[in-house]
């Protein structure tokens, strides 16, 4: 009855949600004509019904799939990297700076989304740029010791028998930051979220090998070597990422090794291997090669650089230098293939606080093992492992017909809150069906992989009636965790702790000799600083002046070396000329990961990513030090320099007017409280006044006026005005350095705005409503997303709420301009350095997507010499959601031969004269320009700016059907 109830509950969660999911999945037979990739929008070959059935059998939460996967967009942080068009979830925690992408989800968010992880939340491990591959042209070469060599196309694979399986994927470095807190490894600061459980669809590898004539293991056929595109990375002979698995495993039907082309019922996304990858259940993620290009059957294991230098668990006294010198990397017995057993506590989360009472507190978490072994029990300890309490656990996904369990287990345990009094650590461990369990102590290895000791949460008493919880380490550069945040700076608090001696030659890392001695657990009421004795060399240092006679460089001189052709970087007050290194192309993440920081202080990004070996390599490129006059930490700065270095943010004027911050109808509030706004115009009157300023700025050439902003620096600007335009929209005007300064903003570019909300930096890109000729100020139209405005975003928009709380005289940080679309005037449109000469523009926008459209519309219409014609189709939910309607209507009224706008809303009333409904092919055909005739002199392009559901699911397919070519469909 319990299973029946669960199934009925699954079915009964709402026809509306099921319909939405069906919409996401219903592209079963709708391959795009050109075979190009569409972000997560094509299902193949699993039908929607079959997927829903499989999802139900795995107790998956389809509402979470919809929430996280339906509205992805390219992340603005990737703008100046090779990955700038990859759709990604902005909430992922990045471990290695901006590029390449290595990230994991927030642990609580991951567990709360259910047994099947949304693809948007799946952790990402990239060594470099995501390859730009195409479904129709991609080939997989099957070669080596085979009877029949063959190249497989993606359509070949699609026509073969397919399987769909829920499979857990875990990074070999899951929980790796804990090892780094003991001593820096070669790995990144992975937390406990480098794990994801999704449904993979593809062809069994054994079927592909059978076609090539490989059906059994022989002395000449021992391994299957798998590799991605050559030239993808800087390491190795051919620059490919490659590894191998035993051929016996590939041929064994019980091991379910598949060549996957779909995940959660959709084509693979670029970060996860589009168009095809290997999935090896029960193995570490590092064996599951993405962007699969070659399958080679060989008598010996892979000799690929990354197979030999990554994912090896060497003895704990071996560091990278010793491994290289003594050949430890080449010893196959240290290869890490099958996952080891592991368990983690997700609730309480790091930083949680609870009250001590007579009620129970539920501890939750996950557990897994490798090789298809099921978890048979999970235990919890409150006394440092002296006694253990049995938790409840279950596997949400069923075993295979061979009895293999390829997915994680969830577990819970109710603890009387009174039992937490006096507890130092809350710990968990798991056991699998082979009676493997987790070790009590951390064992360090230079690769930073395979960490699976007891997961320990420190319990801190707060007064007499509360306790708080600290996880061991927070992922990436996030601070917090009882093990600390400085690599190598932790004095381990296990019952048996490794005794460390400091290697003075390296200064930053502990050496590898370990002598185990008992360590008495500290009193939980003591402060962390009194409990942990960190080596002085590992503590944060005070400012150290440059050595006498050292070459000094002013910051402005460093900033001049800011291009791929001439790149300097600043790290920890030292200046490095990295041009030689760039020219050699040796960086694993590609040159873009260096040049994007050229001319700037790259300390934060470098420290987040690099190992001791990288720091040593960096030394060869040092050319001098930052001049103390440009270093705020320098004790030798004179009072005059200190005064001159102050920014507006350190002397923020007090707000002169305490304006409303919602959530209310902003315009009604302003009209009801004229005493707060004085003679300031609001609503449509304010929009009309802004229109005049915008038009004047578009007609004025800024010429040689000094530029106030910088694409590589955050500049504090003072709020000059904040005016309500509608119920949820404001006009924000920020003052530039002087009335004679310009933004330096090309038409088509945007700016980033940043501020502090709830103790965290929040930022987002906005296109100003004012054009570059508007000197002395920059203006933005901002739609405020209040809490609970949308059920999927109960907290609302963090930055927009910050901006709504900004008052006149307050400071907002601005950075830019940036962008990949530039309108140079008179029909010259530059997109990623490709020039289009046009005379007609179709524009289709949704909601706040009007901002970049308006910028270009005004630039065209304000220039009498520009004969470009524009038709704008503007979609919104309701009539009250239409931004800048007065401005658009006025532009159409005053320029009827060159500009027209048509509105469509999802919900209208009897007074509405525009269209009702979503944008569709018929609407585009009626209210936009037809595709240009390639034989004619004229050229038409389509510009899109809106949510993915508008751009990719609706507009792009319709435009192609109407004759628009790929190159003439341009997405903001």
């Amino acid at each position: 009855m319990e299973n029946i109830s669960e199934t009925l509950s699954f079915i009964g969660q709402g026809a509306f949600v099921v319909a939405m999911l069906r919409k996401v999945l219903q592209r079963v037979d709708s391959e795009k004509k050109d075979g190009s990739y569409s972000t997560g929008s094509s299902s193949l070959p699993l039908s929607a019904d079959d997927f829903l059935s499989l999802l139900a059998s795995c107790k998956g939460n389809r509402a979470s799939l919809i929430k996280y996967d339906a509205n992805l967009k390219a992340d603005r942080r990737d703008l100046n990297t090779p990955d700038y068009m990859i759709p990604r979830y902005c909430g992922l925690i990045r471990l290695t700076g901006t590029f390449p992408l290595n990230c994991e989800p927030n642990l609580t968010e991951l567990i709360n989304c259910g047994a099947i992880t949304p693809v948007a939340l799946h952790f990402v491990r990239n060594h470099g740029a995501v390859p730009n591959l195409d479904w129709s042209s991609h080939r997989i070469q099957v070669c080596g010791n085979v009877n029949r060599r063959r190249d497989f196309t993606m359509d070949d694979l699609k026509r073969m028998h397919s399987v769909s399986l829920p499979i857990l994927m875990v990074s070999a470095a899951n929980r790796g930051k804990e090892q780094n807190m003991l001593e820096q490894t070669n790995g990144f600061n992975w937390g406990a979220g480098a794990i994801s459980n999704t449904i993979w669809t593809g062809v069994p590898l054994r079927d592909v090998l059978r076609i090539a004539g490989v059906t059994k293991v022989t002395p000449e056929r021992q391994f299957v070597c798998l590799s991605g595109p050559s030239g993808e990375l800087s390491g190795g002979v051919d620059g490919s990422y490659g590894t191998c698995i035993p051929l016996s495993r590939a041929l064994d039907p019980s091991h379910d090794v598949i060549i996957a082309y779909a995940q959660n019922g959709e084509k693979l996304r670029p970060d996860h291997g589009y168009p095809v990858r290997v999935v090896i259940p029960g193995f570490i993620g590092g064996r599951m090669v993405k962007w699969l290009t070659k399958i080679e059957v060989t008598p010996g294991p892979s000799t690929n650089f990354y197979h030999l230098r990554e994912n090896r668990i060497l003895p704990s006294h071996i560091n990278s230098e010793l491994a290289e010198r003594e050949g430890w990397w080449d010893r196959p017995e240290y290869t890490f293939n099958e996952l080891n057993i592991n368990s983690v506590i997700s609730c309480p989360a790091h930083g949680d606080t609870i009250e001590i009472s007579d009620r129970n507190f539920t501890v939750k978490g996950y557990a897994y093992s490798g090789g298809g072994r099921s978890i048979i029990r999970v235990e919890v300890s409150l006394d440092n492992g002296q006694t253990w309490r049995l938790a409840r656990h279950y596997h949400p996904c069923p075993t295979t017909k061979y009895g293999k369990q390829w997915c994680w287990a969830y577990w819970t345990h109710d603890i009387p809150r009174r039992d937490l009094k006096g507890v130092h650590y809350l710990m968990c461990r798991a056991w699998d069906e082979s009676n493997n369990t987790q070790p009590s102590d951390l064992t360090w290895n230079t690769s930073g992989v395979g960490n699976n000791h007891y997961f320990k949460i420190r319990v801190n008493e707060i007064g007499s009636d509360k306790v708080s919880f600290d996880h061991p380490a927070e992922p990436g550069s996030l601070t917090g965790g009882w093990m600390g945040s400085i690599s190598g700076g932790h004095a381990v608090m296990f019952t048996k702790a490794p005794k460390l001696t400091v290697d003075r030659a390296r200064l930053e890392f502990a050496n590898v000799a370990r002598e185990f001695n008992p360590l008495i657990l500290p009193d939980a009421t003591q402060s962390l600083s009194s409990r942990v004795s960190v080596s002085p060399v590992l503590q944060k240092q005070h400012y150290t002046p440059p050595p006498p006679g050292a070459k000094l460089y002013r910051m402005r001189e460093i900033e001049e070396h800011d291009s791929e052709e001439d790149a300097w970087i600043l790290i920890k007050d030292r200046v490095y000329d990295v041009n030689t290194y760039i020219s050699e192309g040796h960086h694993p993440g590609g040159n873009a990961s260096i040049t994007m920081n050229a001319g700037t202080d790259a300390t934060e990004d470098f420290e987040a990513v690099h190992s001791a070996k990288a720091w040593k390599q960096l030394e060869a490129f040092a050319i001098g030090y930052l001049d103390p006059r440009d270093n705020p930490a320098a004790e030798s700065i004179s009072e005059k320099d200190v005064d001159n270095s102050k920014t507006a943010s350190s002397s923020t004027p007090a707000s002169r007017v305490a304006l409303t911050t919602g959530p209310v109808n902003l315009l009604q509030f302003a009209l009801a409280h004229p005493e707060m706004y004085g003679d300031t115009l609001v609503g449509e009157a304010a929009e009309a006044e802004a229109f005049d300023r915008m038009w004047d700025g578009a007609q004025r050439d800024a010429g040689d006026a000094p530029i106030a902003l910088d694409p590589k620096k955050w500049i504090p600007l003072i709020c000059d005005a904040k005016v309500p335009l509608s119920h949820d929209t404001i006009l924000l005007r920020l003052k530039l350095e002087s009335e004679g300064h310009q933004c330096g903003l090309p038409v088509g570019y945007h700016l980033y705005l940043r501020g502090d909300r709830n103790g965290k930096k929040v930022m987002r890109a906005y296109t100003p409503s004012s054009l570059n000729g508007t000197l002395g100020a920059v203006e933005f139209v901002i739609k405020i997303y209040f809490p609970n405005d949308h059920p999927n975003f109960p907290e609302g928009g963090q930055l927009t709420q910050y901006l709504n709380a900004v008052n006149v005289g307050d400071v907002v940080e601005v950075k830019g301009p940036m962008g990949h679309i530039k309108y140079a005037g008179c029909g010259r449109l530059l997109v990623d350095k490709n020039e289009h000469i046009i005379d007609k523009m179709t524009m289709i926008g949704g909601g706040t997507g009007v901002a970049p459209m308006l910028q270009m519309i005004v630039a065209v219409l304000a220039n009498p010499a520009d004969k470009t014609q524009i038709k704008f189709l503007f979609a919104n939910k309701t009539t009250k959601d239409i931004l800048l309607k007065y401005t658009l209507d006025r532009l159409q009224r005053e320029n009827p031969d060159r500009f027209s706008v048509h509105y469509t809303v999802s919900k209208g009333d009897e007074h509405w004269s525009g269209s009702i409904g979503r944008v569709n092919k018929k609407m585009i055909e009626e209210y936009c320009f037809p595709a240009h005739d390639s034989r004619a002199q004229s050229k038409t392009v389509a510009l899109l700016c809106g949510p993915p559901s508008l751009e990719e699911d609706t507009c792009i397919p319709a435009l192609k059907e109407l004759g628009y070519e790929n190159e003439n469909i341009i997405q903001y």
Side-chain angles (χ1 to χ4, degrees), residues 875-887:
N876 287 274
K877 291 181 180 179
T878 68
T879 55
K880 72 174 185 178
D881 291 320
I882 300 175
L883 299 178
L884 298 165
K885 189 173 187 300
Y886 166 86
T887 299

Side-chain angles (χ1 to χ4, degrees), residues 341-359:
I341 189 168
N342 214 337
S343 66
V344 161
I345 300 172
S346 62
C347 178
H350 176 71
D352 278 357
T353 300
I354 65 169
E355 292 185 355
I356 299 297
S357 68
D358 294 327
R359 295 184 294 124

Side-chain angles (χ1 to χ4, degrees), residues 9-68:
S9 172
F10 183 93
I11 294 171
Q13 286 183 22
F16 172 71
V17 175
V18 174
M20 287 184 68
L21 187 57
R22 288 180 187 275
K23 186 177 186 312
V24 174
L25 299 173
Q26 65 187 354
R27 303 288 185 90
V28 179
D29 297 314
S30 60
E31 286 297 313
K32 302 224 171 175
K33 292 180 181 179
D34 62 354
S36 62
Y37 172 77
S38 175
T39 308
S41 62
S42 293
S43 302
L44 49 97
L46 191 64
S47 71
D49 289 337
D50 287 343
F51 178 76
L52 287 171
S53 176
L54 185 53
L55 188 66
S57 71
C58 297
K59 298 181 175 60
N61 184 341
R62 65 217 179 282
S64 290
L65 302 191
I66 295 168
K67 174 182 177 181
Y68 287 103

Side-chain angles (χ1 to χ4, degrees), residues 312 314-315 317-318 322-324 326-332 334:
R312 305 222 159 190
L314 301 179
H317 71 283
I318 302 294
L322 192 60
E324 201 73 49
E326 298 183 357
W328 288 86
W329 294 122
D330 299 323
R331 302 187 184 187
Y334 296 114

Side-chain angles (χ1 to χ4, degrees), residues 155-218:
D155 287 337
D156 288 337
L157 295 179
K158 183 183 172 185
R159 285 189 289 267
M160 294 175 65
H161 165 70
S162 67
V163 296
S164 294
L165 295 169
I167 297 170
L168 184 71
M169 188 174 291
V170 186
S171 169
N174 194 34
R175 298 180 60 190
K177 187 172 181 178
E178 297 169 42
Q179 295 198 53
N180 285 338
M181 295 303 97
L182 177 61
E183 176 183 345
Q184 181 66 46
T185 69
N186 295 341
F188 305 139
N189 284 334
W190 294 97
I195 177 172
S196 304
N197 195 59
T198 57
I199 295 172
W200 298 91
T201 300
V203 176
L205 175 56
R206 67 181 183 278
D207 289 354
V208 173
L209 293 172
R210 185 183 299 114
I211 293 173
V214 178
T215 58
K216 63 181 181 179
V217 177
T218 69

